[in-house]
Amino acid sequence: MTILLSRVRDAGLQDIAEKLDAGERLSFDDGVRLFACSDPLALGALANREREKRHGARTYYNFNIRLEATNVCMASCLFCSFARLRPGDPGSYTMSLEQVWDKLRQRAGQSLTEIHVVNGLHPELPFEYYTDMLRGLKRIRPDVHLKCFTAVEIAFFADLYGKSDEQVLRELQEAGLDSLPGGGAEIFAERVRRKICDDKCGADRYLSIHRLAHRLGMRTNVTMLYGHIETHEERIDHMLRARALQDDTGGLQAFIPLAFHPDNNQMRKLPAPSAIETLRVHAVSRLMLDNVPHIKAFWIATGVETAQLALWFGADDLDGTVQEENIYHMAGSKTPEGMTTRAIRRLIRRAGREPYERDTLYNIIVGPDEDLTDTPLPPSERAPRASHANGARRRSGVRESA
Ligand code: SF4
């Protein structure tokens, strides 16, 4: 540690280290300096200190599944490889409610604790599709936490069905919604949003929906899509807006940096962020977001090995088993589509950390010393899924699926 702290000095970050020691909050300018630091190990040493102050060697994961019930979406975010514009377009799909519920029924014997549902912004489904979906999922597994619908989806529902954001949240909550995922945040800065996701809800509304959800007793996460056209200043601005929300409500559980993936979308000429950049973003997130308990390295987006390294660069959470992910895999992610709990525990141990299985609210389900039986995927999900490779085109023909 002494060697690393001497690197902190040599990297010109001593004053920031002293601020952190004194429990002082880092400023916008501090954040920009952290991104400009040329020594990633010095930055990592600072972030790791903050990580270990909060969590020691603990590394969290959960036993969850992902479900994307439709990829039909009226928006056309430039970085998205998942969406199709209209129902019936090549590569588009919309599950029936029975198909959605079957995903859970197939896992009747499994001890999963969370379903994470996000969708495209489908213009033709009735609101009852979503409320019935939640009610059905709760009927099948009342014990499973429903983390569903990004703030962007909530805003879309409100506009489409003529309701207020609060009314939408209340009605979904009444149907079984337990918390909101963090997707849709991208980068809050107006300059970037106008260029990459102009036709979905803006930063202020995203944050106000999270604020409303917190007031209604729900917990939420915030993501940040990095590694495309955003500047360091815009990343720090994004983090500080999340930090300000957390100062007001305390309702955020985790901040989740999401690596931009360039395959099969309209930003495919840009390179993906490097592993070093990914580690840097996780480290700066830990240092700037002093009031958010968890920094998540979403292994699907970072790659497994980089996620392991990120556990020494500020991250304390790996998300979960996931088991069925489309959005990142359609954008070129080479990671597995899911992992067993045993595999996640193994990779945490191999990174020199202690695995703790948690539920969505970070209650501990399985400690580091307990042995787990494996959790294989159901047979229906082991076959390669052809829908990822159908060459479908959308809108202007610029964007193709994988
Ligand atoms: S990122 Fe979300 S809102 Fe944007 S096009 Fe893709 S599915 Fe639609």
Side-chain angles (χ1 to χ4, degrees):
M1 184 50 93
T2 318
I3 295 170
L4 288 174
L5 290 179
S6 76
R7 290 187 82 123
V8 168
R9 219 176 21 252
D10 294 346
L13 298 179
Q14 186 62 30
D15 59 323
I16 291 183
E18 283 163 12
K19 266 186 160 183
L20 292 166
D21 283 341
E24 272 180 53
R25 179 160 265 192
L26 301 188
S27 68
F28 179 90
D29 290 342
D30 292 331
V32 175
R33 276 178 57 208
L34 290 171
F35 270 124
C37 171
S38 58
D39 183 346
L41 285 187
L43 184 58
L46 284 182
N48 190 50
R49 247 177 17 156
E50 294 305 306
R51 184 246 201 249
E52 292 188 352
K53 262 186 220 166
R54 290 165 175 79
H55 306 291
R58 278 187 181 207
T59 295
Y60 304 93
Y61 68 93
N62 69 348
F63 188 175
N64 65 350
I65 57 170
R66 295 222 158 196
L67 208 149
E68 289 115 18
T70 179
N71 68 345
V72 173
C73 185
M74 290 178 72
S76 45
C77 306
L78 298 192
F79 53 83
C80 182
S81 314
F82 164 73
R84 300 291 178 272
L85 187 60
R86 279 172 293 264
D89 279 355
S92 68
Y93 72 86
T94 300
M95 293 181 190
S96 69
L97 288 177
E98 283 300 332
Q99 286 173 318
V100 170
W101 297 331
D102 272 348
K103 294 281 178 197
L104 192 53
R105 289 188 190 113
Q106 287 168 6
R107 298 175 184 279
Q110 296 186 355
S111 55
L112 62 95
T113 56
E114 173 189 285
I115 305 178
H116 177 127
V117 181
V118 294
N119 307 295
L121 309 178
H122 195 302
E124 292 169 16
L125 293 170
F127 189 50
E128 291 67 38
Y129 177 81
Y130 303 100
T131 49
D132 289 351
M133 179 191 298
L134 294 171
R135 287 201 176 90
L137 292 171
K138 277 287 183 202
R139 246 193 322 273
I140 296 163
R141 286 287 294 269
D143 55 318
V144 168
H145 185 107
L146 300 184
K147 185 173 78 177
C148 311
F149 314 125
T150 66
V152 169
E153 290 177 81
I154 301 296
F156 174 75
F157 296 158
D159 295 344
L160 185 67
Y161 305 120
K163 299 172 188 280
S164 68
D165 293 346
E166 178 165 350
Q167 207 179 344
V168 168
L169 282 172
R170 283 187 185 280
E171 289 177 26
L172 292 173
Q173 192 178 27
E174 200 268 326
L177 180 68
D178 293 307
S179 66
L180 296 188
E186 322 314 355
I187 286 282
F188 290 143
E190 188 57 29
R191 179 194 78 86
V192 179
R193 283 192 101 74
R194 263 205 313 275
K195 287 190 174 161
I196 69 170
C197 55
D198 197 26
D199 49 3
K200 69 184 186 190
C201 92
D204 289 346
R205 192 162 178 201
Y206 174 99
L207 289 164
S208 89
I209 287 169
H210 281 257
R211 188 182 297 273
L212 271 171
H214 297 166
R215 187 154 61 71
L216 295 175
M218 288 185 266
R219 295 305 186 103
T220 73
N221 298 327
V222 168
T223 58
M224 179 179 81
L225 184 74
Y226 67 91
H228 44 93
I229 61 165
E230 84 288 1
T231 62
H232 291 170
E233 286 79 3
E234 285 160 342
R235 288 180 190 168
I236 297 297
D237 168 71
H238 186 99
M239 292 175 194
L240 294 191
R241 291 203 216 187
R243 190 170 83 179
L245 170 67
Q246 182 73 338
D247 279 344
D248 289 348
T249 67
L252 295 178
Q253 298 201 109
F255 185 78
I256 312 166
L258 293 176
F260 163 67
H261 275 241
D263 287 4
N264 311 306
N265 59 51
Q266 294 179 68
M267 296 170 82
R268 60 189 164 207
K269 291 207 171 118
L270 296 180
S274 66
I276 283 290
E277 195 56 20
T278 287
L279 297 176
R280 203 187 296 278
V281 170
H282 285 79
V284 176
S285 302
R286 178 64 286 161
L287 293 168
M288 296 306 295
L289 289 154
D290 52 17
N291 55 359
V292 176
H294 302 284
I295 303 296
K296 195 182 279 189
F298 182 40
W299 60 269
I300 294 263
T302 61
V304 171
E305 292 84 2
T306 308
Q308 284 177 296
L309 279 171
L311 300 180
W312 292 90
F313 283 74
D316 61 277
D317 191 305
L318 288 181
D319 197 88
T321 49
V322 180
Q323 308 236 345
E324 189 172 354
E325 201 277 347
N326 288 318
I327 294 172
Y328 263 94
H329 288 90
M330 291 169 93
S333 172
K334 303 290 187 291
T335 54
E337 289 183 2
M339 260 199 269
T340 62
T341 46
R342 267 222 327 235
I344 290 201
R345 291 173 77 82
R346 200 178 311 124
L347 75 87
I348 292 170
R349 283 195 197 289
R350 287 188 179 154
R353 296 303 201 183
E354 290 177 351
Y356 282 78
E357 185 173 326
R358 61 166 176 85
D359 65 12
T360 311
L361 303 176
Y362 287 84
N363 299 303
I364 302 302
I365 307 286
V366 183
D369 302 324
E370 294 169 63
D371 258 350
L372 288 183
T373 53
D374 221 332
T375 50
L377 301 181
S380 61
E381 289 170 26
R382 285 185 211 141
R385 281 178 289 146
S387 61
H388 287 191
N390 57 14
R393 285 173 179 269
R394 123 184 202 115
R395 193 162 274 172
S396 63
V398 174
R399 191 157 77 175
E400 298 173 354
S401 78

